[in-house]
Amino acid sequence: MKITALAGHYGSGKTQLAINLALYTKKTQARVVLCDLDIVNPYFRSNDIKNVLNQAGIDLISSDYAGTNIEMPGLAPSAAAIFDSPEGQAFADIGGDERGALVLGRWAEKMQTAEMILVVNMYRPLSGTPKETLHIVREIEAAARVKFTSIINNSNIGLETTGLDVVQSLSYAREVSRLSGLPVRLTSVKRNLVEELSGRVDNLLALDIYDKPNWKIS
Protein backbone atom coordinates (compact mmCIF):
# COMPACT_ATOMS: atom_id res chain seq x y z
CA MET A 1 0.00 0.00 0.00
CA LYS A 2 1.26 3.45 -0.85
CA ILE A 3 1.44 5.62 2.27
CA THR A 4 1.25 9.41 2.38
CA ALA A 5 1.70 11.01 5.80
CA LEU A 6 0.78 14.62 6.52
CA ALA A 7 2.47 16.48 9.38
CA GLY A 8 3.06 20.06 10.44
CA HIS A 9 2.41 22.66 13.09
CA TYR A 10 -0.79 22.70 15.15
CA GLY A 11 -3.60 24.26 13.12
CA SER A 12 -1.82 23.98 9.79
CA GLY A 13 -4.72 21.98 8.36
CA LYS A 14 -3.39 18.42 8.24
CA THR A 15 -6.76 16.80 8.93
CA GLN A 16 -8.50 19.03 6.42
CA LEU A 17 -5.99 18.07 3.73
CA ALA A 18 -5.95 14.37 4.60
CA ILE A 19 -9.74 14.22 4.18
CA ASN A 20 -9.71 16.08 0.88
CA LEU A 21 -6.83 14.05 -0.55
CA ALA A 22 -8.57 10.82 0.42
CA LEU A 23 -11.83 11.91 -1.25
CA TYR A 24 -9.99 13.06 -4.37
CA THR A 25 -7.94 9.86 -4.64
CA LYS A 26 -11.02 7.67 -4.18
CA LYS A 27 -12.29 8.89 -7.55
CA THR A 28 -9.57 6.89 -9.30
CA GLN A 29 -8.49 4.18 -6.83
CA ALA A 30 -10.45 1.21 -5.57
CA ARG A 31 -9.11 1.22 -2.01
CA VAL A 32 -8.33 4.35 -0.02
CA VAL A 33 -7.66 4.40 3.72
CA LEU A 34 -7.60 7.45 5.99
CA CYS A 35 -5.65 6.69 9.15
CA ASP A 36 -5.88 9.05 12.12
CA LEU A 37 -2.53 8.74 13.89
CA ASP A 38 -2.99 11.75 16.13
CA ILE A 39 -2.18 10.50 19.63
CA VAL A 40 -3.15 13.65 21.52
CA ASN A 41 -6.90 13.59 20.78
CA PRO A 42 -7.36 17.15 19.46
CA TYR A 43 -10.73 18.82 19.17
CA PHE A 44 -11.02 18.26 15.41
CA ARG A 45 -10.71 14.71 14.09
CA SER A 46 -11.36 12.94 10.83
CA ASN A 47 -13.78 10.83 12.87
CA ASP A 48 -16.07 13.90 12.93
CA ILE A 49 -16.83 13.35 9.26
CA LYS A 50 -16.87 9.56 9.19
CA ASN A 51 -20.33 9.42 7.58
CA VAL A 52 -19.07 11.33 4.53
CA LEU A 53 -16.01 9.08 4.33
CA ASN A 54 -18.10 5.93 4.64
CA GLN A 55 -20.45 7.06 1.89
CA ALA A 56 -17.45 7.69 -0.35
CA GLY A 57 -16.15 4.18 0.32
CA ILE A 58 -13.09 5.31 2.27
CA ASP A 59 -11.86 3.12 5.13
CA LEU A 60 -11.34 5.17 8.30
CA ILE A 61 -8.95 3.99 10.99
CA SER A 62 -9.13 6.04 14.18
CA SER A 63 -8.74 5.68 17.93
CA ASP A 64 -11.66 4.62 20.10
CA TYR A 65 -11.12 7.90 21.95
CA ALA A 66 -11.51 10.10 18.87
CA GLY A 67 -14.40 12.51 19.22
CA THR A 68 -14.75 11.89 22.96
CA ASN A 69 -13.92 13.98 26.00
CA ILE A 70 -11.29 11.48 27.09
CA GLU A 71 -7.86 13.06 26.69
CA MET A 72 -5.81 9.91 26.48
CA PRO A 73 -3.10 9.17 23.91
CA GLY A 74 -4.25 6.22 21.88
CA LEU A 75 -3.95 4.55 18.51
CA ALA A 76 -6.41 2.27 16.80
CA PRO A 77 -5.09 -1.31 17.04
CA SER A 78 -5.61 -1.66 13.28
CA ALA A 79 -3.33 1.31 12.43
CA ALA A 80 -0.36 -0.93 11.69
CA ALA A 81 -2.37 -2.65 8.96
CA ILE A 82 -1.59 0.14 6.50
CA PHE A 83 2.01 -1.05 6.43
CA ASP A 84 1.08 -4.63 5.62
CA SER A 85 -1.72 -4.26 3.06
CA PRO A 86 -0.47 -4.94 -0.47
CA GLU A 87 -2.78 -2.63 -2.40
CA GLY A 88 -4.36 0.80 -2.14
CA GLN A 89 -3.51 4.29 -0.93
CA ALA A 90 -3.37 5.31 2.72
CA PHE A 91 -3.30 8.86 4.05
CA ALA A 92 -1.97 9.19 7.60
CA ASP A 93 -2.98 12.26 9.62
CA ILE A 94 -0.13 12.92 12.08
CA GLY A 95 -0.49 14.98 15.25
CA GLY A 96 0.96 18.49 15.46
CA ASP A 97 4.64 19.17 16.04
CA GLU A 98 7.20 16.74 17.44
CA ARG A 99 4.93 15.29 20.12
CA GLY A 100 2.44 14.02 17.58
CA ALA A 101 5.21 12.85 15.24
CA LEU A 102 6.57 10.47 17.86
CA VAL A 103 3.99 7.92 16.76
CA LEU A 104 5.86 7.41 13.49
CA GLY A 105 9.01 6.43 15.34
CA ARG A 106 7.74 2.89 15.91
CA TRP A 107 7.32 2.49 12.15
CA ALA A 108 10.33 4.55 11.07
CA GLU A 109 11.88 1.73 9.05
CA LYS A 110 8.68 1.06 7.12
CA MET A 111 8.10 4.77 6.59
CA GLN A 112 11.35 5.25 4.68
CA THR A 113 9.58 4.53 1.38
CA ALA A 114 6.49 6.58 2.26
CA GLU A 115 5.64 10.08 1.14
CA MET A 116 5.94 12.56 4.02
CA ILE A 117 4.25 15.88 3.34
CA LEU A 118 4.92 19.04 5.32
CA VAL A 119 1.72 21.10 5.68
CA VAL A 120 2.45 24.80 6.17
CA ASN A 121 0.22 27.73 7.06
CA MET A 122 1.88 31.14 7.43
CA TYR A 123 -1.19 32.53 9.17
CA ARG A 124 -0.81 30.32 12.25
CA PRO A 125 1.11 31.44 15.37
CA LEU A 126 4.69 30.16 15.70
CA SER A 127 4.92 29.20 12.00
CA GLY A 128 4.48 32.63 10.45
CA THR A 129 8.04 32.93 9.17
CA PRO A 130 10.09 30.49 7.10
CA LYS A 131 12.73 30.21 9.85
CA GLU A 132 10.10 29.35 12.47
CA THR A 133 8.65 26.75 10.11
CA LEU A 134 12.08 25.24 9.43
CA HIS A 135 12.55 24.79 13.18
CA ILE A 136 9.26 22.85 13.30
CA VAL A 137 10.41 20.73 10.36
CA ARG A 138 13.59 19.69 12.15
CA GLU A 139 11.73 18.89 15.38
CA ILE A 140 9.19 16.69 13.58
CA GLU A 141 11.82 14.87 11.56
CA ALA A 142 13.86 14.13 14.68
CA ALA A 143 10.83 12.81 16.57
CA ALA A 144 9.47 10.75 13.68
CA ARG A 145 12.86 9.58 12.41
CA VAL A 146 11.44 10.16 8.94
CA LYS A 147 12.36 12.91 6.48
CA PHE A 148 9.82 15.11 4.73
CA THR A 149 9.62 14.73 0.96
CA SER A 150 7.50 17.71 -0.13
CA ILE A 151 5.39 20.69 0.98
CA ILE A 152 1.73 21.62 0.65
CA ASN A 153 1.08 25.31 1.15
CA ASN A 154 -2.19 25.43 3.08
CA SER A 155 -1.93 29.05 4.21
CA ASN A 156 -5.42 30.26 5.10
CA ILE A 157 -7.49 32.13 7.66
CA GLY A 158 -10.52 29.90 7.47
CA LEU A 159 -13.67 30.96 5.66
CA GLU A 160 -12.39 34.54 5.52
CA THR A 161 -9.52 33.54 3.22
CA THR A 162 -9.29 35.61 0.03
CA GLY A 163 -7.35 35.11 -3.15
CA LEU A 164 -4.96 37.84 -2.02
CA ASP A 165 -4.23 35.92 1.20
CA VAL A 166 -3.22 32.91 -0.88
CA VAL A 167 -1.06 34.95 -3.28
CA GLN A 168 0.71 36.66 -0.38
CA SER A 169 1.64 33.25 1.05
CA LEU A 170 3.51 32.11 -2.05
CA SER A 171 6.80 33.85 -1.24
CA TYR A 172 6.64 32.34 2.26
CA ALA A 173 6.16 28.84 0.84
CA ARG A 174 8.99 29.34 -1.65
CA GLU A 175 11.35 30.43 1.13
CA VAL A 176 10.40 27.42 3.27
CA SER A 177 11.16 25.32 0.19
CA ARG A 178 14.54 26.99 -0.28
CA LEU A 179 15.57 26.59 3.35
CA SER A 180 14.39 22.99 3.65
CA GLY A 181 15.28 21.77 0.17
CA LEU A 182 11.73 20.42 -0.22
CA PRO A 183 9.61 21.11 -3.32
CA VAL A 184 6.23 22.82 -2.98
CA ARG A 185 3.93 20.15 -4.35
CA LEU A 186 0.56 21.90 -4.09
CA THR A 187 -1.18 25.04 -2.89
CA SER A 188 -4.59 24.24 -1.41
CA VAL A 189 -7.51 26.65 -1.62
CA LYS A 190 -11.27 26.75 -1.20
CA ARG A 191 -12.92 25.60 -4.40
CA ASN A 192 -14.60 28.97 -4.88
CA LEU A 193 -11.16 30.60 -5.19
CA VAL A 194 -9.85 28.32 -7.94
CA GLU A 195 -11.15 30.39 -10.86
CA GLU A 196 -9.75 33.62 -9.40
CA LEU A 197 -6.33 32.08 -8.79
CA SER A 198 -6.05 30.06 -12.00
CA GLY A 199 -2.98 31.24 -13.88
CA ARG A 200 -1.65 33.06 -10.81
CA VAL A 201 -0.93 30.07 -8.58
CA ASP A 202 0.61 26.82 -9.84
CA ASN A 203 -0.59 23.36 -8.85
CA LEU A 204 -3.83 24.28 -7.12
CA LEU A 205 -5.65 21.73 -4.98
CA ALA A 206 -9.33 22.60 -4.61
CA LEU A 207 -10.73 21.77 -1.17
CA ASP A 208 -14.33 20.58 -1.07
CA ILE A 209 -14.51 19.79 2.64
CA TYR A 210 -13.15 22.99 4.08
CA ASP A 211 -14.06 24.57 7.37
CA LYS A 212 -13.93 23.25 10.96
CA PRO A 213 -15.63 22.34 13.25
CA ASN A 214 -18.66 21.86 11.03
CA TRP A 215 -16.64 20.74 7.99
CA LYS A 216 -18.52 22.97 5.57
CA ILE A 217 -18.46 22.02 1.90
CA SER A 218 -17.37 25.05 -0.07
Side-chain angles (χ1 to χ4, degrees):
M1 175 173 283
K2 181 179 179 181
I3 299 172
T4 299
L6 294 95
H9 187 55
Y10 290 109
S12 59
K14 303 175 299 296
T15 299
Q16 171 199 68
L17 281 170
I19 290 170
N20 278 275
L21 288 170
L23 290 168
Y24 179 81
T25 303
K26 183 59 182 175
K27 296 176 182 179
T28 57
Q29 293 205 28
R31 188 183 184 209
V32 176
V33 177
L34 179 57
C35 188
D36 186 343
L37 293 181
D38 195 327
I39 62 172
V40 294
N41 194 37
Y43 184 56
F44 304 119
R45 302 293 291 258
S46 52
N47 195 60
D48 297 339
I49 199 169
K50 61 183 177 181
N51 290 338
V52 173
L53 297 171
N54 289 339
Q55 289 173 9
I58 295 169
D59 297 331
L60 175 62
I61 298 175
S62 65
S63 167
D64 291 338
Y65 301 112
T68 73
N69 293 323
I70 302 174
E71 296 185 2
M72 177 183 293
L75 288 175
S78 54
I82 64 173
F83 298 101
D84 301 320
S85 300
E87 297 179 354
Q89 166 73 59
F91 293 97
D93 179 9
I94 310 303
D97 295 353
E98 74 276 12
R99 182 184 172 197
L102 285 170
V103 67
L104 289 183
R106 71 179 68 183
W107 297 307
E109 184 175 347
K110 294 183 178 181
M111 280 292 298
Q112 297 310 310
T113 58
E115 184 177 24
M116 181 81 164
I117 296 177
L118 170 67
V119 181
V120 299
N121 183 349
M122 69 172 284
Y123 298 113
R124 295 297 300 169
L126 304 181
S127 63
T129 70
K131 287 186 177 180
E132 287 176 325
T133 304
L134 185 66
H135 179 69
I136 293 168
V137 168
R138 301 306 179 221
E139 286 185 335
I140 292 175
E141 288 182 334
R145 293 188 285 139
V146 180
K147 296 291 186 180
F148 283 106
T149 57
S150 64
I151 296 168
I152 290 183
N153 177 21
N154 191 47
S155 295
N156 72 87
I157 51 175
L159 290 177
E160 304 303 316
T161 308
T162 66
L164 179 60
D165 294 324
V166 177
V167 171
Q168 289 180 335
S169 75
L170 298 180
S171 60
Y172 157 84
R174 285 193 293 265
E175 182 62 8
V176 173
S177 174
R178 186 189 71 81
L179 291 174
S180 65
L182 301 169
V184 179
R185 176 180 170 185
L186 297 167
T187 295
S188 55
V189 299
K190 294 184 295 182
R191 183 168 290 279
N192 61 8
L193 291 177
V194 170
E195 184 176 355
E196 175 186 347
L197 294 173
S198 180
R200 302 172 65 193
V201 180
D202 295 331
N203 301 321
L204 283 173
L205 170 65
L207 302 180
D208 291 309
I209 306 295
Y210 188 70
D211 194 38
K212 298 180 285 188
N214 297 317
W215 295 111
K216 296 179 178 67
I217 299 178
S218 61

